[in-house]
C-alpha cells in the first residue's frame, strides 16, 4: 500500500490513500526543488578530520556516555543501529550489531555521511530537522527507493538553554524488524540528553556564581550571567532568570539596573549599572526601515524585521496592560492558533533588544519611556 501511494503521488495520479501529512510535505519539498528519487539515494560524506571537528564543536559530545549507556548495549544485541547526527544532518557517531552495520554501510549510513533531506530524500534525520519533531518512517515512506527496505526513527535533541536543535538521535534497521516500543526508546534517549544538558548548564552557572563571589563582595546591585544570558546570581535585585545575551560592544538594559556595560568574567559577564539614576528612553522608528534606539548613558540602535516592528507597534498601542500571546497571534496571523510561533518571535525580539520587554503579559518595562516616531503618536 505504501509503495502504491508513493508511486501515485510522485507520478501525479490519485493515490489509493493519502500519505501522512508529514511525509506528504517532505515529498512536496523535494519535488518542488527538482530532486529526483533516483538522484538522492546515496549520501555524500565529509572528511574524517571534519567529522572530528564537528564532534568537538557539538554539545552532544557531553551526553554521549549517557546515550551509549542507554542505547549502545541495546543496539549491540538488537536488529538496529543507533546514530547521532548534528544539526546539519551529518552522522557523528554510530553503534550497532555488526550485521546491521554492514547493511547500513550499503545505504551510506556511516559516520561522516550527510543525511540532510535535500541530500538523501525523506528520512528521519533530515526530515526531523526540518519539521522539528520526532519522526518514524517505514519502507516506501522514504523518498528514495533504495531505502524502502529500511525503517528509521528520528528524535531531535534541543539545547535546553536556547531551544535550538543540536542534532538528532536516530534508530534504524530492516523494515520488518520494527518494534512498536522502538520509537519510545529514541524519545526517552532524547529527553535524557536534554535533561543531562540542563543539569550541566545549572552546574556551570553555579561555578560562575562562585567565581564571581569575591568580585561582588559589597557590590550591589549586580547580575552575573553566562554567555547566553542565563543568570548565575543576582545581588540587590530580583533574579530575572535570563536576559539578552551580552556582547562587549553593546550596553544591555536590565530592569532594576538600567543600562549596564558588560564586564567579561570567564565564560560569562558581570552587569552593573552604568549610572543608577540614568534615564532610559526607547525610540521606535517604524517607518520603511524600522529600527529601535535605546537612549541613556549609552546609546545603541538595532534594526528591526517587519514582524518585530509589527509586534512593537502593538505593544506601543497597549503600553498600560500589555498583550498576551493569544492577542498577538490574532493580530499577526488572524487567529489564535499560532501562540507557539508568537513566543518564538518574542524570544528572538527580547534577545535582540534586551529586557526592555517584560512577559506575562508582554509589555514595555515600567522603567523605559517609549517614543514612537512613525505610524503612531509619541507614547
Amino acid at each position: 500500500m505504501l509503495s502504491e501511494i508513493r508511486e501515485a503521488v510522485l507520478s501525479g495520479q490519485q493515490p489509493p490513500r493519502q500519505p501522512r501529512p508529514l511525509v506528504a510535505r517532505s515529498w512536496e519539498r523535494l519535488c518542488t526543488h527538482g530532486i529526483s528519487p533516483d538522484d538522492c539515494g546515496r549520501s555524500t560524506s565529509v572528511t574524517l578530520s571534519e567529522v572530528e571537528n564537528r564532534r568537538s564543536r557539538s554539545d552532544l559530545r557531553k551526553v554521549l556516555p549517557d546515550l551509549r549507556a542507554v542505547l549502545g548495549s541495546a543496539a549491540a544485541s538488537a536488529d538496529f543501529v543507533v546514530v547521532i547526527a548534528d544539526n546539519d544532518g551529518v552522522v557523528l557517531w554510530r553503534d550497532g550489531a555488526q550485521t546491521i552495520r554492514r547493511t547500513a554501510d550499503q545505504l551510506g549510513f556511516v559516520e561522516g555521511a550527510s543525511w540532510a533531506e535535500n541530500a538523501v530524500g525523506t528520512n528521519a534525520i533530515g526530515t526531523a530537522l526540518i519539521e522539528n519533531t520526532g519522526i518514524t518512517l517505514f519502507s516506501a515512506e522514504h523518498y528514495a527507493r533504495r531505502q524502502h527496505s529500511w525503517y528509521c526513527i528520528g528524535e531531535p535533541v534541543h539545547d535546553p538553554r536556547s531551544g535550538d536543535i543540536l542534532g538528532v538521535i536516530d534508530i534504524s534497521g530492516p523494515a520488518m524488524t520494527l518494534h512498536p516500543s522502538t520509537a519510545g526508546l529514541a524519545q526517552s534517549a532524547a529527553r535524557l540528553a536534554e535533561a543531562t544538558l540542563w543539569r550541566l548548564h545549572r552546574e556551570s552557572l553555579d561555578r560562575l556564581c562562585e567565581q564571581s563571589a569575591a568580585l561582588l563582595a559589597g557590590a550591589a546591585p549586580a547580575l552575573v550571567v553566562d554567555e547566553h544570558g542565563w543568570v548565575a546570581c543576582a545581588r540587590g535585585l530580583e533574579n530575572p532568570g535570563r536576559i539578552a545575551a551580552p556582547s562587549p560592544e553593546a550596553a544591555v538594559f536590565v530592569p532594576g539596573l538600567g543600562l549596564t556595560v558588560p564586564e567579561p568574567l570567564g565564560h560569562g559577564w558581570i552587569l552593573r549599572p552604568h549610572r543608577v539614576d540614568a534615564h532610559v528612553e526607547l525610540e521606535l522608528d517604524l517607518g520603511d526601515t524600522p529600527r529601535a534606539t535605546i537612549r541613556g548613558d549609552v546609546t545603541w540602535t538595532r534594526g528591526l524585521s517587519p514582524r518585530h516592528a509589527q509586534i512593537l507597534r502593538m505593544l506601543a498601542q497597549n503600553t498600560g496592560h500589555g498583550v498576551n500571546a493569544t492577542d498577538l497571534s490574532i493580530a499577526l496571523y488572524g487567529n489564535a492558533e499560532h501562540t507557539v510561533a508568537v513566543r518564538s518571535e518574542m524570544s528572538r525580539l527580547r534577545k535582540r533588544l534586551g529586557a526592555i520587554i517584560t512577559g506575562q503579559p508582554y509589555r514595555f518595562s515600567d522603567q523605559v519611556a517609549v517614543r514612537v516616531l512613525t505610524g503612531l503618536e509619541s507614547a
Side-chain angles (χ1 to χ4, degrees):
M1 175 64 75
L2 289 175
S3 296
E4 292 174 1
I5 291 172
R6 176 183 172 280
E7 294 302 319
V9 170
L10 297 187
S11 63
Q13 301 176 9
Q14 181 65 33
R17 183 183 300 174
Q18 292 299 319
R20 290 188 293 146
L22 181 146
V23 175
R25 289 194 298 271
S26 175
W27 292 353
E28 183 178 2
R29 283 192 296 268
L30 291 160
C31 290
T32 299
H33 288 90
I35 300 174
S36 165
D38 299 325
D39 296 336
C40 66
R42 294 187 178 276
S43 61
T44 57
S45 297
V46 301
T47 63
L48 291 178
S49 62
E50 175 62 14
V51 171
E52 289 302 323
N53 287 335
R54 287 174 177 265
R55 285 172 173 171
S56 66
R57 296 195 305 265
S58 175
D59 280 340
L60 292 176
R61 73 186 186 282
K62 301 174 184 177
V63 297
L64 187 61
D66 288 345
L67 291 177
R68 281 181 164 158
V70 172
L71 298 174
S73 59
S77 59
D79 292 329
F80 58 72
V81 292
V82 174
V83 159
I84 300 174
D86 66 13
N87 56 6
D88 290 325
V90 174
V91 176
L92 300 184
W93 295 280
R94 188 187 72 167
D95 287 308
Q98 185 175 359
T99 55
I100 305 302
R101 290 205 308 269
R102 283 199 293 266
T103 304
D105 290 344
Q106 296 171 7
L107 293 171
F109 208 40
V110 297
E111 292 174 347
S114 171
W115 277 71
E117 186 181 79
N118 61 3
V120 294
T122 307
N123 73 93
I125 292 177
T127 305
L129 288 171
I130 292 175
E131 295 282 343
N132 193 14
T133 190
I135 291 175
T136 298
L137 293 172
F138 184 78
S139 187
E141 289 185 314
H142 291 91
Y143 191 68
R145 188 185 301 276
R146 68 192 305 268
Q147 298 167 22
H148 288 188
S149 62
W150 205 245
Y151 77 82
C152 56
I153 300 168
E155 192 69 35
V157 179
H158 297 85
D159 187 332
R161 299 166 301 181
S162 64
D164 296 335
I165 298 179
L166 296 174
V168 176
I169 296 173
D170 177 280
I171 297 177
S172 297
M176 300 313 295
T177 65
L178 176 61
H179 191 278
S181 65
T182 310
L185 180 62
Q187 186 178 53
S188 297
R191 301 296 81 78
L192 170 66
E194 291 169 351
T196 301
L197 288 169
W198 181 255
R199 175 178 56 79
L200 295 173
H201 165 61
R202 294 304 314 174
E203 291 174 355
S204 71
L205 291 181
D206 291 341
R207 289 192 298 270
L208 188 60
C209 189
E210 292 174 3
Q211 183 182 356
S212 68
L215 295 173
L216 295 183
L223 282 182
V224 177
V225 303
D226 71 3
E227 56 194 350
H228 300 283
W230 288 94
V231 177
C233 52
R235 296 286 188 271
L237 73 159
E238 184 178 350
N239 188 335
R242 189 183 187 188
I243 64 170
S247 60
E249 71 276 2
V252 177
F253 177 80
V254 180
L257 291 181
L259 279 174
T260 68
V261 178
E263 307 166 36
L265 173 68
H267 293 291
W269 305 88
I270 296 178
L271 301 174
R272 296 187 251 238
H274 193 59
R275 199 182 80 226
V276 174
D277 60 347
H279 173 73
V280 179
E281 178 185 87
L282 170 64
E283 182 182 276
L284 294 174
D285 185 341
L286 304 179
D288 294 336
T289 308
R291 59 187 182 271
T293 300
I294 282 285
R295 301 188 186 280
D297 271 7
V298 180
T299 297
W300 48 268
T301 299
R302 294 285 187 272
L304 299 170
S305 68
R307 179 67 77 197
H308 287 169
Q310 191 178 2
I311 290 172
L312 291 172
R313 182 186 298 276
M314 189 170 181
L315 294 183
Q317 292 172 328
N318 296 272
T319 53
H321 56 273
V323 292
N324 58 35
T326 300
D327 296 331
L328 283 170
S329 178
I330 294 171
L332 300 178
Y333 301 100
N335 57 59
E337 306 302 320
H338 293 81
T339 56
V340 173
V342 165
R343 293 189 181 99
S344 296
E345 286 291 350
M346 291 304 301
S347 177
R348 286 189 284 269
L349 180 57
R350 295 176 76 182
K351 287 179 183 178
R352 186 151 183 78
L353 298 185
I356 63 171
I357 299 172
T358 63
Q360 300 179 352
Y362 299 115
R363 60 188 181 88
F364 294 116
S365 169
D366 293 336
Q367 300 179 30
V368 178
V370 182
R371 188 162 66 94
V372 180
L373 300 182
T374 304
L376 293 171
E377 295 181 358
S378 296

